[in-house]
Amino acid sequence: MLLIPCPHCGPRPEIEFRYAGEAHVARAADPGAVNDQDWAEYLYFRSNPKGIHFERWRHVSGCARFFNCVRDTVSDKILTTYPAGEKKPDLGTLMKEAGR
Amino acid sequence: MRFSVFNLARQALSAHRNWPEQWRSPEPKNAYDAIIIGAGGHGLGTAYYLAKEHGMRNIAVLEKGWLGGGNTGRNTTIIRSNYLWEESQGLYEHAVKLWENLSQELNYNVMYSARGVMMLAHTIHDIQVFKRHVHANRLQGIDNEWLTPEQAKEFCPILNIAPNMRYPILGAALQRRGGVARHDAVAWGYARAASAMGVDIIQNCEVTGIRRDANGAVSGVETTRGLIGTKKIGVVAAGHTSVVMGMADVRMPLESYPLQALVSEPIKPIMPCVVMSNTIHAYMSQSDKGELVIGAGTDAYTSYSQTGGLHITTHTLDAICELFPNVRRLRMLRNWGGIVDVTPDRSPIIGKTPVKGLYVNCGWGTGGFKATPGSANVFAHTIAKDEPHPINAAFTLDRFRTGRLIDEAAAAAVAH
């Protein structure tokens, strides 16, 4: 079970959270102008990386807020979490902090 | 050498010391007519049908680890074809029909046992969904029948149908032709038969890149054992499909999740069939060795770790103990995880890709084992003819653009 540091409540066990898929997948500003392939990209296609993954979680049994998380999908180690709406953290700095 | 009573007797004379190797372990050649990436059941089967039905014998199967060591060796071996939509029924029923004669065809005992697969209903919604499946299947000539709780208990006597359970059993859908097979034997049988026809199976050979020519078509693969040229590549890499396809700059509608399973200590036969419950997240059968084989749901998050959280297996065992109270004191021997590639509509992708010469067979999610022969058979056709077989024509990558999804979330039977 993961120990997930909610940016609002601190570290809590995984069972308090719901996973909410890849982060920073933005809905088009003008949906009417989007073609079928780009809709498919937005709805269904995911980067699914073996390594660093930016993802959303929701602390349903705590503050109930969505937030973003950076996790290594090989080791399942969490590098950092940050509130929804903030910019992607710099990966180089994160890796240095994690000592890699 | 064929397995027969005659050869068994002959080898007995030399105390079984002179059986030959079952497949060759050759060095990779400089080039092949086609290369399959991934030596699991689907990949080895594809090579077998390419050689047998399409005469393509100058081909290789590349495997980064050992043969059958991925999800082929990690699943709970359940076989059934009780899916909802006609496209899926055609695909899975094609597989079941091949399973029925597979041991004879491969001259290798895959231990296919049509002992019946029973799916339990615990809510009114379950009843409605499963009855819809029963009717849809029977319209297509696929066996599936509705059982009352008492009939379900008659078919599987250790089942608890007490009305005071937390989630009482309200009925069940039974496919009698469903069952189990020996997962390792499927990989070994296909490998042996393919190797005998000249297919090179190359283990410990990880693909690290896909080469393209000036027109964008594939021209070869870079591997940890050197560059190998080819005009056709079939990717059958299960949980690692997104990674391999990324080497050709093709994005996939896939997410890879850990799926866990476990087995108990072996006991005498107590369970005559397979029982599955999607609603309370558990399924169980008994292997010929006597172990109870138990499957859990997927973990919540994407991962390539091949391990999952213990709370997932604990949750499954809670459900197992409620469904089968007489196994409560059994100890569990082993648990493990595999990485399953899940599509948004829980149906596989089998077909061509935007890159010429690159074919993909993926997205089997939590239920690929049952389809092994059928999937391999139609994928071999797709690679050899450069166009899909009618059975897999609907399972394109393009369906996510056109919106013609094949939603089998209810039939997948595993919680995810």
Side-chain angles (χ1 to χ4, degrees):
Chain A
M1 189 183 301
L2 304 179
L3 185 63
I4 301 175
C6 171
H8 310 291
C9 312
R12 300 291 179 88
E14 181 194 328
I15 45 170
E16 292 189 9
F17 298 83
R18 285 277 197 292
Y19 183 69
E22 188 170 356
H24 303 292
V25 180
R27 188 183 164 90
D30 179 9
V34 175
N35 66 27
D36 288 358
Q37 187 58 44
D38 288 345
W39 268 122
E41 283 283 334
Y42 166 71
L43 288 170
Y44 303 126
F45 286 68
R46 296 292 177 261
S47 54
N48 196 24
K50 186 176 185 178
I52 303 299
H53 189 224
F54 293 83
E55 60 196 17
R56 298 189 307 160
W57 287 83
R58 188 179 179 206
H59 194 184
V60 283
S61 304
C63 60
R65 284 202 263 186
F66 281 93
F67 61 92
N68 292 335
C69 171
V70 186
R71 185 173 53 89
D72 185 336
T73 61
V74 178
S75 64
D76 288 338
K77 273 193 180 152
I78 292 172
L79 300 186
T80 191
T81 56
Y82 51 101
E86 281 189 12
K87 280 209 160 123
K88 261 189 184 183
D90 179 55
L91 209 52
T93 324
L94 279 179
M95 300 292 257
K96 213 176 281 172
E97 279 170 15
R100 299 160 42 141
Chain B
M1 186 185 295
R2 275 188 68 79
F3 291 120
S4 63
V5 174
F6 171 74
N7 276 330
L8 187 64
R10 204 173 68 160
Q11 295 295 331
L13 294 177
S14 56
H16 296 291
R17 288 201 190 92
N18 295 324
W19 284 103
E21 61 178 12
Q22 298 201 21
W23 52 84
R24 299 167 293 111
S25 293
E27 285 298 311
K29 293 188 214 164
N30 289 331
Y32 290 96
D33 294 341
I35 284 177
I36 306 298
I37 301 175
H42 292 248
L44 292 163
T46 303
Y48 168 78
Y49 291 112
L50 275 173
K52 177 169 173 269
E53 297 188 354
H54 306 284
M56 291 180 68
R57 303 204 166 183
N58 181 30
I59 61 176
V61 185
L62 309 184
E63 168 57 48
K64 72 169 176 172
W66 68 95
L67 187 155
N71 294 346
T72 298
R74 294 165 189 265
N75 66 83
T76 49
T77 79
I78 297 166
I79 294 166
R80 58 189 174 85
S81 61
N82 53 354
Y83 281 70
L84 180 62
W85 301 106
E86 285 173 27
E87 295 90 341
S88 320
Q89 290 168 1
L91 181 61
Y92 292 104
E93 184 64 12
H94 181 51
V96 168
K97 287 193 172 131
L98 288 171
W99 276 115
E100 286 169 348
N101 198 35
L102 196 61
S103 294
Q104 288 74 17
E105 176 168 351
L106 297 178
N107 179 232
Y108 204 98
N109 189 1
V110 300
M111 298 165 70
Y112 170 57
S113 160
R115 59 184 64 178
V117 172
M118 197 158 72
M119 299 171 81
L120 303 177
H122 302 271
T123 63
I124 298 298
H125 175 72
D126 281 352
I127 294 177
Q128 291 167 345
V129 168
F130 285 147
K131 281 193 172 171
R132 186 181 175 202
H133 277 68
V134 168
H135 297 315
N137 290 156
R138 294 174 73 130
L139 282 171
Q140 292 294 314
I142 295 170
D143 79 301
N144 196 356
E145 60 195 273
W146 179 253
L147 302 183
T148 63
E150 292 72 28
Q151 289 170 320
K153 188 170 175 66
E154 200 176 322
F155 194 71
C156 183
I158 61 170
L159 192 64
N160 177 19
I161 56 166
N164 61 352
M165 279 171 75
R166 176 67 183 83
Y167 295 100
I169 293 167
L170 304 179
L174 170 66
Q175 185 175 32
R176 292 182 190 271
R177 284 160 66 241
V180 292
R182 174 81 203 279
H183 49 359
D184 295 324
V186 178
W188 298 337
Y190 273 127
R192 173 172 168 271
S195 180
M197 288 188 286
V199 175
D200 284 358
I201 298 161
I202 301 160
Q203 303 181 65
N204 299 310
C205 179
E206 182 173 358
V207 172
T208 53
I210 294 177
R211 289 272 178 103
R212 315 261 296 270
D213 65 18
N215 300 323
V218 300
S219 61
V221 291
E222 295 161 20
T223 76
T224 49
R225 294 174 69 173
L227 179 68
I228 308 173
T230 187
K231 297 268 182 240
K232 290 187 173 188
I233 300 174
V235 177
V236 201
H240 280 72
T241 302
S242 295
V243 177
V244 176
M245 295 300 283
M247 296 171 190
D249 300 321
V250 179
R251 269 168 67 84
M252 298 298 291
L254 293 172
E255 289 187 298
S256 297
Y257 291 91
L259 177 63
Q260 299 181 75
L262 58 165
V263 293
S264 74
E265 55 193 332
I267 52 173
K268 287 188 175 178
I270 60 164
M271 191 162 183
C273 61
V274 182
V275 173
M276 314 184 74
S277 170
N278 192 1
T279 299
I280 59 173
H281 309 165
Y283 43 105
M284 185 164 97
S285 64
Q286 190 169 18
S287 74
D288 290 356
K289 276 189 286 186
E291 300 157 331
L292 296 174
V293 182
I294 296 167
T298 61
D299 276 76
Y301 49 85
T302 63
S303 175
Y304 287 82
S305 60
Q306 289 193 328
T307 58
L310 202 55
H311 62 290
I312 302 285
T313 41
T314 309
H315 175 69
T316 291
L317 289 175
D318 287 347
I320 291 288
C321 290
E322 186 84 349
L323 288 176
F324 308 104
N326 63 342
V327 306
R328 275 184 184 171
R329 291 172 65 190
L330 272 185
R331 281 163 295 196
M332 293 297 135
L333 272 192
R334 301 185 299 279
N335 77 322
W336 62 89
I339 302 301
V340 298
D341 45 327
V342 179
T343 56
D345 61 358
R346 308 296 186 256
S347 284
I349 299 164
I350 318 167
K352 301 166 76 167
T353 69
V355 175
K356 188 169 162 45
L358 185 67
Y359 307 86
V360 70
N361 183 349
C362 67
W364 290 97
T366 55
F369 178 77
K370 67 174 79 70
T372 304
S375 145
N377 186 263
V378 297
F379 191 47
H381 182 282
T382 307
I383 293 176
K385 312 273 188 209
D386 195 36
E387 62 184 48
H389 190 283
I391 288 175
N392 68 315
F395 294 88
T396 60
L397 182 56
D398 198 42
R399 73 174 185 269
F400 297 96
R401 182 184 65 81
T402 61
R404 296 193 69 84
L405 303 189
I406 306 162
D407 185 357
E408 291 288 1
V414 174
H416 54 335

